[in-house]
Amino acid sequence: MNTKSSGNYAFLTQAPVSRVILTMAVPTIVSMLVTCLYTIVDTYFVGQLNTQSTAAVGIAFSLMCLIQAIGSFFGHGSGSYMSRELGAQRIGNATTMAATGLVYSVVAGILIAAAGFFYARSLSLWLGSTPTILPFTQQYLSIILLGSPFQIASFTLNSQLRMQGNTRHAMWGIVSGVLLNVVLDPLLIFGLGLGLRGAALATVLGQAVSFLILFIMCRRLRSTGVGMRLGSFSPRWHYVREIVYGGSPSLSRQGLASVSVVLLNLAAAAYGDAAVAAMSIVSRVTMFVMSVIVGLGQGFQPFCGYCYGAGLYDRLRQGFWFTVRTGFLFLMLVSSVVFCLAEPTIALFRDDSIVVAIGSTALRWHLAVYPLNAYIMTGNMMLQTTRKPLRANVLSSARKGLVFIPFILILPHLFGLMGVAMCQAVCDVVTFLIAIPIVRSAFREMRHQQANDV
């Protein structure tokens, strides 16, 4: 075992639990916050153009979430396997998976870019564009889809680095591209007068830079860790199966989230462009808050994978509850503050009285039950990392899919626009109730396994 891998193994399996998780989580939280900050800044700059452009970016966001879900599928699928193998000290298998996951992700990105580019209009309509929003959505999508290979590959490399315990490398790769995007946004949108096209072009350039930096970092790890060796690619079914097992919960969660955003846009569109714009802003604000919890949970994942692979189930359980408690307290604090400042928060992005009225109501509904997501998210990531694909898929797809889809179809018919605003809050409560027995069953199995090992 090389020095870097040995160092990560000792730290993740022996250092104090709180120190390990926070060390792993902080760089991930930073990268998540910066990424979400980009979406907020992007929404702010686009919001200076017109309501239709703001709504168009919100509609296209659902497709971008789907592309991100595919990147997470390859990244979390390959990364979870790598983490468990490193915990079991089988480094050769981890090295093969690194190359295999990247190659498949690049191929998927190229296919999506080619298909999406030629069907931008059809996609815009399917995603929920109204006749007045359609030209803007089509314009934005025709450019943004060109970055699919870079976006998917970047998420794959980021997850692989993070699941090895190299969270700082993963952070700098993502943050560099995002910061470039933020700088380019006003320059291209207003400086060069490209408008909405400039926002899309800035995004693609930022994604390309992120991929390049992450790939260089992975190559440089060849002498100090599980580096990227493209010659290690393997088409064996074993690696494909492990990617599917480990990555399908992410695809379910984010893929169904994309479908849910489409349904949300369609439900909001019945009440006008202002409703679509308002829900788009709410989605970005709540995503920014949730990004800290996602980052915290992703900091827990390498710890979880190493401990599970090494058979340290009691230590894994301690890490789980530390992560849940930390996330719950954070969400309680932030949700309380933003709840009280809902109107100025929405007005920051679009100073339109109708948008503010709809958006502030929806935002308060979201935040009222947001702390429950600390348990939901941590439980989902534990199930995914410990290779429990069925339960991980059920839990990951519930909040933004299996539960959300029927409610977004039913509640607006019962309560009108208020039904659209309250939908996610209702789904969070139901998903929390579903998560409790699922997570408990996983811990029960670990106790039985630990007893058998003894």
Side-chain angles (χ1 to χ4, degrees), residues 37-355:
L37 179 62
Y38 145 68
T39 64
I40 290 176
V41 170
D42 192 56
T43 302
Y44 171 79
F45 285 127
V46 171
Q48 309 308 304
L49 297 173
N50 49 60
T51 298
Q52 285 71 31
S53 291
T54 304
V57 173
I59 289 172
F61 181 68
S62 59
L63 181 59
M64 295 177 69
C65 285
L66 180 58
I67 295 172
Q68 178 180 331
I70 295 171
S72 296
F73 168 76
F74 289 108
H76 289 163
S78 58
S80 295
Y81 175 83
M82 290 167 65
S83 180
R84 293 194 304 273
E85 292 301 292
L86 289 170
Q89 304 186 50
R90 294 187 288 264
I91 299 177
N93 291 343
T95 301
T96 299
M97 179 58 90
T100 303
L102 177 61
V103 170
Y104 282 131
S105 70
V106 171
V107 171
I110 292 172
L111 293 175
I112 291 171
F117 181 76
F118 290 109
Y119 296 100
R121 178 181 173 81
S122 299
L123 276 172
S124 299
L125 292 170
W126 182 80
L127 292 171
S129 287
T130 65
T132 52
I133 299 173
L134 177 60
F136 298 89
T137 308
Q138 186 177 352
Q139 178 187 108
Y140 188 74
L141 281 181
S142 63
I143 298 174
I144 207 74
L145 286 168
L146 295 177
S148 298
F150 301 119
Q151 184 179 9
I152 293 175
S154 293
F155 271 98
T156 300
L157 293 175
N158 175 268
S159 295
Q160 289 182 355
L161 284 168
R162 180 172 51 80
M163 294 298 286
Q164 294 178 60
N166 298 315
T167 52
R168 291 185 180 179
H169 291 84
M171 175 190 72
W172 286 118
I174 293 296
V175 168
S176 299
V178 169
L179 292 178
L180 175 63
N181 196 339
V182 170
V183 172
L184 289 177
D185 252 344
L187 176 62
L188 297 180
I189 294 173
F190 305 111
L192 298 182
L194 296 178
L196 192 58
R197 289 189 180 89
L201 184 58
T203 299
V204 173
L205 291 173
Q207 290 167 348
V209 169
S210 282
F211 168 72
L212 181 61
I213 293 174
L214 286 166
F215 185 75
I216 291 173
M217 287 180 173
C218 286
R219 294 285 293 178
R220 288 181 176 177
L221 284 174
R222 291 180 61 178
S223 60
T224 58
V226 180
M228 181 57 62
R229 301 170 176 84
L230 293 178
S232 298
F233 167 80
S234 172
R236 286 178 54 203
W237 169 246
H238 168 74
Y239 293 102
V240 175
R241 182 186 61 201
E242 292 299 328
I243 290 174
V244 172
Y245 281 171
S248 56
S250 293
L251 185 60
S252 297
R253 178 177 65 248
Q254 295 172 258
L256 282 174
S258 179
V259 175
S260 297
V261 172
V262 173
L263 294 176
L264 180 64
N265 288 333
L266 291 172
Y271 303 94
D273 292 353
V276 178
M279 297 310 298
S280 172
I281 293 170
V282 170
S283 295
R284 278 158 174 72
V285 173
T286 53
M287 183 179 66
F288 184 78
V289 176
M290 181 61 76
S291 67
V292 175
I293 303 305
V294 174
L296 181 64
Q298 289 183 347
F300 166 72
Q301 277 188 302
F303 167 88
C304 177
Y306 271 75
C307 289
Y308 188 79
L312 303 174
Y313 304 128
D314 287 338
R315 180 177 171 83
L316 191 158
R317 189 179 299 108
Q318 293 174 24
F320 173 85
W321 285 112
F322 171 79
T323 306
V324 170
R325 288 193 299 268
T326 304
F328 184 86
L329 291 174
F330 170 81
L331 285 178
M332 280 286 291
L333 175 63
V334 175
S335 295
S336 299
V337 173
V338 179
F339 189 96
C340 297
L341 301 174
E343 285 84 0
T345 299
I346 300 298
L348 178 65
F349 301 99
R350 186 65 187 167
D351 192 10
D352 179 296
S353 59
I354 300 177
V355 172

